[in-house]
Structures are given as structure tokens and as C-alpha cells.
Amino acid sequence: MESALTARDRVGIQDFVLLDETTEAAVISNLKKRFNKDLIYTYIGTLLVSVNPYKELDIYSQKQMDVYMGVNFFELPPHIYALADNAYHTMLTEFNNHFVLISGESGAGKTEASKKILQYYAVSCPSTTLLNTVRDKMLMSNPVLEAFGNAKTLKNDNSSRFGKYMDIQFDSQGDAVGGHILNYLLEKSRVAHQNHGERNFHIFYQLVEGGSDNLLQQLGLERDCQRYNYLTQGQCATVSSINDRNDWKSVKNALQVIDFDETNTGHLFEVVASVLHLGNVQFDADGKGHALLNDNTDLDWVSNLLGVDANKLLEDLTFRKIEAKREQVLSPFTIDHAIYVRDALAKAIYGQTFTWLVNRINETIENKDSSRKTVIGLLDIYGFEVFYVNSFEQFCINYCNEKLQQLFIQLTLKAEQEEYEAEGIEWEPVLFFNNKIICDLVEEKHRGIISVLDEECLRPGDATDLTFLERLEEKMGNHPHFVTHKLADKMIRKTMERGDFRLLHYAGEVTYCVVGFLDKNNDLLYRNIKDLMCRSKNAIVSECFSSMDLDNKKRPETVVTQFKSSLLKLTEMLMAKEAWYIRCLKSNESKQQGQFDEALIRHQVKYLGLMEHLRVRRAGFAYRRKYEDFLKRYKPLCPATWPHWRGQPADGVELLAQHLGYLPDEYKMGRTKIFIRHPRTLYATEDAYEKCKHDLATRLQAKYKGYKAKGEFRKQKEAATKIESCWRGAQARKEKEKRAWAVKVIKKFINGYINRGQAKNTDNSEYLAFVRQSYLNRLKNNLPKTVLDKTTWLTPPSVLTEASEMLRKLHYRLMVRKYVRGITPQKKVQLQMKFVTSSIFKGKKENYPHSITQPFVNSRISDQEINMGVLSMIRKEQIKYSVPVIKYDRNGFKPRPRQFILTQTAAYVVEEAKIKQRVLYMSLKGISVSNLSDGIIVFHITREDPKQKGDLIIQCDHLFECLTQLSIIANKQSAIKVVQGSIKVEIQPGKETAVDFSTGQEPMVYKAKNGHLMVVATRTRTR
């Protein structure tokens, strides 16, 4: 704690007890400040808070272990080694039992914390060959239990799916001589079902990916996880952070270290393989809806691996044996019931095998010596869980946390009270939330949720999850910590489904979905299947199922009742031991290093009860220390105790406290310790101590520094005088040389300027070079940006006129070259067409400039818009271009909307499904347009046939595009004429009329009184 005082301003407070404000915001701020400096450990008294950094830190080396061995708990910065070492030495000193409770959410680092403690004891405890063997077995039990009991979840790639309590046994000399493991509530449902993004237990994937080809062949397996239904439901069989092949090697090695012979190992893997095959057993329905097996392959493998009769196994999976008086009747299953029985068998086999595995490990690591031993227990238990959907497993886990929170508060208060009584300090009652009301709500006999659940599971009739919910509403409707959709008010109902109930835990509200509660609690396996498993030739399976009392006709205990009983035994066992606590926190959900999610941390601080613990620790006196330690540190603050105190430590501390001005209510003197109530009192003392240290050091330093400084000053002054004189002389000489050089340069520049008009000579050569360089530099920064920029080229000096012109041409050629290279094939075609348009209309037709920026298209009418009959008649001529036009009749000039189509050989005027006129390009003697902005086109046609119609008049909105396409297709560029004034039109042989053009405010086309077609065009503005 003393190191926490000196470091408080740099990296936060190392012990939360010493915070000025014991608020949630202050706690989180302190955690964040330390986390940002990679200080992941912080104390609350003797409780250790650990924040997972999701990266490797160099704080777990052999050197670090040596630093913390045998050191006072508060002497060094917080560390898990400090807690492990203090628990170990307290156990040796007091010769009593201890346990370390490690809790936190999945992914917070609980399993890693227990490993670090085991590793520390393996290194720090005395060692012999025999002891090293025991330690190796305890360490190697971890990979095996992780393989069979851990799985990837949404929150953690190596999540423990069971609770583990491990006792490390020590003899009187402090040697680790053995161990014992207890397991709680393995998540067996994971065997048959995994949520999206989660995996089954690791061992299945390790066996499939890492097992040898020979082993897989013996087990009937393929090296493909996608082949097995129990491994594919989460759709993430492969995970980047998990190397199943390497983990398989670790498990194989660990099994050898903990004395598993080849026979047991073989039987163990046969059980694992049988579960995989069992998941692939599929059922079909017969005509009556009864379950039938559609493929015996996987069932045969199950029977071979378990050593049971295949026909009997098939019968037990598809029929239920009912005993009626002295007869046995087989009742066929439906498909759903058969699947339920299959999954129940798979879960039972795996669950019983896991229990057998733990017992087998215990046999190898437990010390059988009858001499008295002390233990340090490691409890790695699931933390409080709140998911989007919370089911039976979360209910059990959170009930466990409620019990542990109750134990936690009881033990903390008990330890505080005992210390106060031992020191003769009056105990002050502490206000805290007593969660006994919630524990009673869950576990009370005949009235608790567990009792109601068991009653529903055991009662005859159609008991369902919803009837269970109704019973809860009847019995607990008025409980302040219980609510359902039916009992809630309108606002709360919006947040709940009809099949939900909500409990107000010590850590907050959790909503549970009752779906599956009864099935998961019953966890039934029919007697005939148990009988079959007892006859298994697989030693592990037969041993597991033979231990069941099959002759007992009573219904077995439900899962929740078994869990409740084991939890009560655990709490009784823990109450008899001294408690140490590690609270593990996740820094963020995405497992990214350096990220501190304050909302997530606040959530965990609340759920782990850290504020409750802090309030208990701070309720009385925040700081307490033995008289000897307190006096040793702070005696320089009082002249009467410095430098040596010869009397009793308690008297020295009392004198020191009076000298420092402690008020009577700020401290108490115990039998062996001083108790200080407020952190600010201690901080004031520590600040005075730091100042005192500086004052003492300053006096010593002042004398020595004064003596050294005087001698050093004389030397430096003499040296500075010599350096200054030399420096000034050198600077004066340099200045003289610079001025002489400047005079020469200025003279040359003036002579060059005077002689700039003459031929290059010695007088003006440097000046001309300067002029050239200056011009080229200015030109470099002011080059024209486009080809069209003809005016911004800088005017050159006379000596560079020729060179400037050459550079100008080169620059424009370069810009042209870049422009040409940037032209795409499509743009090139456009430019070629625009060039044709320009050659015909540029400077002739008034609205030509406005058409330049408008791109031409290949056609204005799609094939779907042209009548199918017309298409079939002209398709052979290949349609090149089409556009909608208005055609004016030769008699009366009535406007008609038409389609104007250009093919390879002729132009067509089309009215819907009818070709009105076909004009061969050979008969086209000329095309006339006006010089105004109108869209009128007159086609002059040679009449070789009397039936041939006269000249054609059309109006086209895309005149330039249409005539350009026509000129290219028909090669009629020279036939297009731009006419000023009227255009003559030959209607019939010998009969002519005309199209007259004028300008006006609005464009119009109409028949004039003189019988001509009058076209009024608007004037376009020229740019």
C-alpha cells in the first residue's frame, strides 16, 4: 500500500480503498488510468482486480516470480503473484486452509489467472523429483480439462463451460504434494446444439483435425468437420485463433503425463467418436408417423465403438419400453421423440465421461498420505451472465453467483469484524444490500423457483414450460424481485415476451425465457438405454453407467436440484477456509488490445459486486498497519522519533500521530496496529513524508553541489574567455571574406547589365546566364495548362527568343500528345463524326456552335420501338441509324410523326407498321437545310420511275447528328447544302413549291398564304 501512495499521481491508485471518492465513476477512471499504462492489476484491500489486456505482457517471467517471493503484500505493485504468495505464506504461518475465488465474465481471463497461480506454486514451492511429478500432473490436467470442458462461444474462443474447484494440497513444509478437482454443471446441451458463431467442445475438432489417419480409420471418422451434424450447427468449425492440430498434440502429451495408458486413451477417443456418429443418426417416418432409421452406417459405428448390440440400440432409439404389470410393451417414437432420445444419449455419454475423466485425474494427482495437509483451493467459476436470450443454463449460473455473492459479503464482513475484535476496535455496522431475499426466492423449500420447477417436472399430466410459468405467477406474484409479462405494468410488458420471467438480481435485472426449462431440468434417459450402456464393452461407458442405481425405481434428481446440492456443499466447504478474491474484467468485447470500453467495465464492476466490497472495506477504517511498519516509514516526520526510537512501537506511533495533528476521530490505536479512518489523512502523512525526504536530501546535496559548482564555475569562466576571443577572431575573418566576395559579385552584375546587348563575353556571360536561369524558373511555374491557351506564354528576353519559341512548340506538342493519348476509342469516333459535322456546317448554319458539346448517339430509336414487320422487311439491309422525325405532306404540308431509318442502302420513312417511302441513296441528288436554327431538312430525289414520290420534307430535332450519320453511311457529304433564303421543292414533275424561312420570337412551321411552307426560327446567341 505504501507503493500505492507514492505512485498515486502517476498511474492512479493501486488500492481502491485509498480513493478519495468511492464512487463508481472514480473506480472506473482509476482502472482506465492504470490500464492505459499496461497496469492491469489493482487492489481493493486484499481483493485483486484484473483487467484483460488481450495482449502478452512481460510481467510473468521467472524474474518477476522471484521478486514477489516472500515479500509483504502491499510492498510491491499489485500482481497475481503477490496474492498467490501471500495466501501461501499465510497458510504456512497459520496452518489453515485457504481458497482463491476467481470470477468474471466469459473471456475475462479467469482460466489464465488460475494457470498463473498454478505456475507460480510450481516454481516457488520446494521441489524434489516426486514433487515435480505431482506438479507436472496438476499443470497438465489443464489442457485435458480444457479440451473436454471448453468451447468457443460468442464472447470467448476458449470459454470454460463448467465450473472448476481445484484443491492444491501442501504438507507441513510447504511442499505441493497433491491436488483434487471438483467440477460443476457441465454445459451438456452444447454437445447436441450450438448457437450460430459457437462451436462444440474442443476435443471433437482436435480429434477430427489432429488424429492420425490410422486412428480416424479405426474410429470410422473422416478428416472433415462439415461431415458431422454436431460440429456444424454454429457454422464456424474453423477459427483463426485456434490450432486444433497443435492442441491435439498437447492433449495427447498431457494424457501421457497424467498416467493414462493406451487402453484408457483408446476407450476415451472411442467415446468421443461415438458421440459424433450418434449425431449423424437420422430418422424417417413410416406411414403412421413412427420413427424409422434410414441408414444404419453411423448406428453400426456407434454400436461397434461402444460395444453394444446394434439391433438393441436401434430398438432403444426408436421404441420406449413400458412395463405394464408383468408385461413389457414397446411404444414407438415419433421422429421428434427419437431425435430427443438420441441427443439425450449423446449428452449423457459425454457428461458421464467428463465426470469419469475428472475422477481419473484426481486418482493420479491426489495424495493418499494420511498425514495432515493444508490446501489452497482455486475456484474458477462462471461469472454473472446476461445474454439477449437467457435460458436454463444462465438461470443456474446466476443462481450460483447469487450464492457466491452472499458468501463473499459474509466472509468479507466476517474477516473485517474479526480483525476489529482482535485489535480491540469497536465494530461499526455496515450498510449493504443483503441478497438473501433473492437466494430465498430461488432456493426456498416448497416456495422457491427451484421447488416449483421440480414439481412441474415430477407431476403427472401435461406439464409444459408455460404451465411452469403459470405456477410461478401463482406462488410469487407479489415478490418484489420477480415479474412476468402477465404481472408487469404496460411499460415493462413492452420489454418482455409472454414466455419470460424477470428476476432482479443483486447485479441487475435478467429476463429468462422458460422455453426448454423442463426438458433441460429433467435431462431424462430411459432405463432401457441405461441398461444397454451398462452392458457396453467400452470400459469407460460401462463404468460410468454401472455407477447409476438402476434398480431404484425412484425418479432421479433433477439437474437443478443436483446443482443446488453441490453448490450448498461448495459454500459449506468454502466457509471453512480463508478467502482470497480475484475479479477478472474484460476490457472490451472485440478482444482488441488497448481498447477500454467504459460501459462494459461499468457493467462488470456492478455485476461482480466490486462497489459492495469497496464499501465494506471503507465502512470503518480505510488504512491499517502494524506499529513497527508504520513507525519505520514515518519516524522522520517527528523530531522525537527521528532518527531512532528506543521505546515501545505503540508509544512511538502515538507520539507521531499527535505530532502530525491527527484528530481523535481520525485514528484508533489497536493492540498491534494503527487504524486510520480517511485516505486523505494518510495522503497528508505521505505528502509530508515525501517532502521530508526531499528536505533531508536537499541539505546534503546543497553543500556538495555548492563546493563542486564553485570549482566548476572558475574552470568554465577561464575556458569561456579563451573560446570567446578565438571565436570572435574567426568570425571577423569570415565577415571580411564575405564582404570582399560580395563586392566582386555586385561589380560583375553591373558590368553584365551594361553590356547585356553585346555578344557573349567575359563581362556579360554570368549576367546572361542569370537572365536565362531566371526566365526558365519563371517559365517553369507559369506554363500554359491547355492547348487552347495561346496568350499566357511568358515574353522571353532577347537572348532567349529562339530558345523560348522552340520550348513553346515542344510544350504544345507535348500537351497535344497527352491529349491524344487520353482519347478513348468511343471519344475518337465522336471526334471523327464531329469533324464531318464541322466540315459541313461550320460557319454556315446558325445553331451549329450549340451542337458541338452534345454527343452523338448510334441511334435514337431502339429495335423494340420499331414494328416487327418493318424490321423483318429491312433487317437484311442492316439498320445503321434511326431517329423520330416530323414529315410534312407535299400537298398541304400537314405534319406527320414518322420514324426515319437509315440502312446500308436506303433511307426509310416509317409510319408504325407501314413503310411510307423508301429513298435509295443512289436516287438522292441533294439535301438542303437553311442557315437558321430550325430543324427542317429537304431531300431532293431523282425520279427515274413515274411512281417515285417527289422531294421529302422532314423536321428533325437532331439535324446535325442525323445528317452526319447519313453523310457517312451514304457517302453524301458533298450533297448537303446550307441555303440562305427559300428552298425549292419538287412535288411532282413540273410542279414546284418552296420552303420559306424567317426569324421570330417563337419557332413555328405553317402553310403560308402563298402556298409555301413557312418556317420561323429563333435567333441563337453567338458566343
Side-chain angles (χ1 to χ4, degrees), residues 84 170 196 355 407 445 536 581-582 590 699 708 757 776 805 862 991:
F170 298 89
H196 183 77
T355 303
L407 173 72
K445 283 186 177 181
S536 169
Y581 304 100
I582 300 176
S590 54
R699 292 175 191 173
K708 292 287 292 182
L776 292 175
E805 182 60 24
S862 65
K991 185 179 179 180

Side-chain angles (χ1 to χ4, degrees), residues 892-893 993-994 996 1005-1016:
F893 300 117
T993 184
D996 298 331
V1005 181
Y1006 60 91
K1007 183 177 180 182
K1009 292 181 180 180
N1010 61 1
H1012 293 179
L1013 182 65
M1014 173 57 70
V1015 179
V1016 180

Side-chain angles (χ1 to χ4, degrees), residues 798-967:
S798 58
V799 294
L800 284 174
T801 303
E802 185 179 353
S804 174
E805 182 60 24
M806 292 175 64
L807 287 172
R808 189 184 68 79
K809 290 180 179 179
L810 282 171
H811 181 66
Y812 278 99
R813 287 183 63 185
L814 177 62
M815 287 196 294
V816 170
R817 187 177 183 187
K818 286 183 178 178
Y819 179 78
V820 171
R821 285 187 172 181
I823 295 175
T824 62
Q826 294 82 1
K827 193 172 181 180
K828 183 176 180 181
V829 172
Q830 284 281 325
L831 289 174
Q832 288 171 343
M833 294 177 70
K834 290 289 184 180
F835 178 74
V836 174
T837 309
S838 175
S839 63
I840 299 172
F841 297 105
K842 185 176 180 182
K844 299 176 183 179
K845 190 158 178 66
E846 194 173 286
N847 59 339
Y848 166 73
H850 294 280
S851 71
I852 295 173
T853 58
Q854 298 174 0
F856 291 165
V857 300
N858 294 330
S859 182
R860 296 284 176 178
I861 303 174
S862 65
D863 287 352
Q864 289 77 13
E865 293 177 283
I866 301 173
N867 185 270
M868 292 298 294
V870 174
L871 276 176
S872 63
M873 286 188 278
I874 63 175
R875 191 180 294 279
K876 291 181 180 179
E877 297 181 21
Q878 295 184 9
I879 296 175
K880 296 294 185 180
Y881 177 77
S882 57
V883 65
V885 299
I886 295 175
K887 181 246 183 190
Y888 290 92
D889 291 348
R890 295 170 186 82
N891 297 316
F893 300 117
K894 187 174 181 180
R896 311 278 189 182
R898 297 287 187 265
Q899 292 178 338
F900 188 64
I901 301 174
L902 301 179
T903 67
Q904 193 70 42
T905 58
Y908 290 87
V909 179
V910 176
E911 177 192 5
E912 295 182 354
K914 185 176 181 183
I915 297 176
K916 299 296 290 184
Q917 187 171 354
R918 179 174 186 260
V919 181
L920 292 170
Y921 297 142
M922 294 182 298
S923 65
L924 196 59
K925 62 184 179 182
I927 303 169
S928 298
V929 297
S930 77
N931 65 328
L932 300 179
S933 61
D934 60 277
I936 297 295
I937 308 172
V938 179
F939 293 90
H940 304 288
I941 303 168
T942 305
R943 297 189 67 217
E944 297 176 357
D945 185 354
K947 295 182 180 179
Q948 179 72 41
K949 296 181 180 180
D951 294 348
L952 175 64
I953 306 170
I954 66 172
Q955 181 181 2
C956 181
D957 292 338
H958 306 282
L959 179 143
F960 299 104
E961 179 182 276
C962 178
L963 292 182
T964 302
Q965 292 278 12
L966 177 60
S967 67

Side-chain angles (χ1 to χ4, degrees), residues 61-236:
S61 61
Q62 174 72 48
K63 183 179 178 181
Q64 286 288 101
M65 294 184 186
D66 294 339
V67 168
Y68 281 90
M69 284 184 193
V71 178
N72 181 279
F73 188 65
F74 295 108
E75 192 171 325
L76 292 173
H79 201 292
I80 194 169
Y81 293 161
L83 183 141
D85 187 78
N86 210 49
Y88 174 72
H89 281 96
T90 305
M91 176 200 69
L92 288 181
T93 304
E94 300 177 1
F95 205 64
N96 57 0
N97 297 326
H98 293 247
F99 76 93
V100 181
L101 173 58
I102 308 170
S103 59
E105 286 191 11
S106 178
K110 301 188 297 296
T111 303
E112 286 301 312
S114 64
K115 288 180 184 177
K116 298 302 181 191
I117 294 176
L118 275 175
Q119 290 166 2
Y120 181 79
Y121 289 148
V123 171
S124 62
C125 297
S127 62
T128 63
T129 304
L130 176 61
L131 296 179
N132 287 339
T133 303
V134 173
R135 290 174 197 160
D136 288 341
K137 289 180 180 180
M138 285 193 289
L139 289 173
M140 284 299 149
S141 67
N142 273 323
V144 177
L145 292 177
E146 284 185 14
F148 283 84
N150 287 24
K152 180 200 178 306
T153 65
L154 293 174
K155 293 189 175 184
N156 185 4
D157 290 347
N158 187 33
S159 176
S160 299
R161 305 319 297 163
F162 69 104
K164 181 176 74 172
Y165 177 79
M166 182 179 192
D167 269 335
I168 308 170
Q169 300 167 339
F170 298 89
D171 63 13
S172 58
Q173 304 302 315
D175 301 340
V177 295
H180 185 81
I181 299 171
L182 296 175
N183 65 293
Y184 299 94
L185 195 65
L186 176 71
E187 189 184 23
K188 294 189 294 183
S189 60
R190 183 171 293 272
V191 173
H193 175 73
Q194 308 93 46
N195 294 326
H196 183 77
E198 298 191 353
R199 298 206 317 174
N200 211 321
F201 294 102
H202 292 324
I203 188 62
F204 294 112
Y205 305 92
Q206 293 170 2
L207 174 59
V208 172
E209 295 292 341
S212 65
D213 293 338
N214 185 41
L215 176 61
L216 294 183
Q217 186 176 0
Q218 292 174 10
L219 301 177
L221 299 177
E222 300 177 17
R223 201 179 299 282
D224 180 10
C225 293
Q226 301 300 323
R227 166 80 175 76
Y228 303 100
N229 295 332
Y230 281 168
L231 304 186
T232 57
Q233 295 174 34
Q235 298 181 0
C236 61

Side-chain angles (χ1 to χ4, degrees), residues 517-697:
F517 260 61
L518 265 62
D519 284 343
K520 292 176 181 178
N521 189 39
N522 276 321
D523 196 24
L524 290 176
L525 190 66
Y526 292 123
R527 185 183 302 276
N528 52 334
I529 296 181
K530 293 179 184 177
D531 291 339
L532 182 62
M533 293 300 109
C534 287
R535 297 194 295 273
S536 169
K537 294 178 182 177
N538 183 297
I540 295 175
V541 176
S542 61
E543 181 181 338
C544 289
F545 284 88
S546 296
S547 62
M548 298 180 178
D549 188 4
L550 299 180
D551 295 329
N552 190 349
K553 300 296 183 179
K554 290 184 178 179
R555 191 184 182 101
E557 282 189 334
T558 60
V559 172
V560 72
T561 299
Q562 294 176 36
F563 183 64
K564 175 184 172 182
S565 301
S566 61
L567 194 56
L568 290 174
K569 291 178 183 177
L570 174 66
T571 53
E572 289 173 5
M573 181 172 60
L574 296 181
M575 285 293 286
K577 295 180 171 66
E578 296 292 327
W580 302 80
Y581 304 100
I582 300 176
R583 295 292 195 249
C584 299
L585 308 179
K586 294 164 65 174
S587 55
N588 59 83
E589 288 286 12
S590 54
K591 307 172 195 170
Q592 296 296 316
Q593 63 183 34
Q595 290 186 13
F596 188 90
D597 187 338
E598 291 192 24
L600 180 63
I601 294 291
R602 183 176 292 105
H603 169 86
Q604 295 171 91
V605 166
K606 180 179 179 182
Y607 282 7
L608 290 172
L610 297 187
M611 298 307 298
E612 293 282 326
H613 186 77
L614 180 56
R615 278 191 284 272
V616 169
R617 288 287 299 178
R618 280 289 299 271
F621 296 87
Y623 177 87
R624 63 212 65 175
R625 189 62 76 242
K626 287 186 178 297
Y627 292 137
E628 294 83 355
D629 297 335
F630 189 85
L631 188 62
K632 180 180 178 182
R633 182 171 183 83
Y634 297 116
K635 65 182 179 179
L637 299 178
C638 177
T641 57
W642 175 261
H644 301 291
W645 173 255
R646 304 298 182 186
Q648 290 296 322
D651 298 334
V653 170
E654 181 70 44
L655 192 64
L656 182 58
Q658 292 175 1
H659 178 78
L660 293 173
Y662 286 5
L663 298 176
D665 65 333
E666 288 183 341
Y667 77 103
K668 293 288 183 183
M669 300 291 290
R671 293 189 177 93
T672 62
K673 297 178 183 178
I674 179 174
F675 287 71
I676 297 177
R677 187 177 299 278
H678 304 297
R680 62 175 179 268
T681 306
L682 186 62
Y683 286 149
T685 306
E686 184 64 25
D687 291 339
Y689 173 65
E690 289 295 315
K691 186 176 182 299
C692 178
K693 284 198 302 185
H694 290 302
D695 290 343
L696 290 173

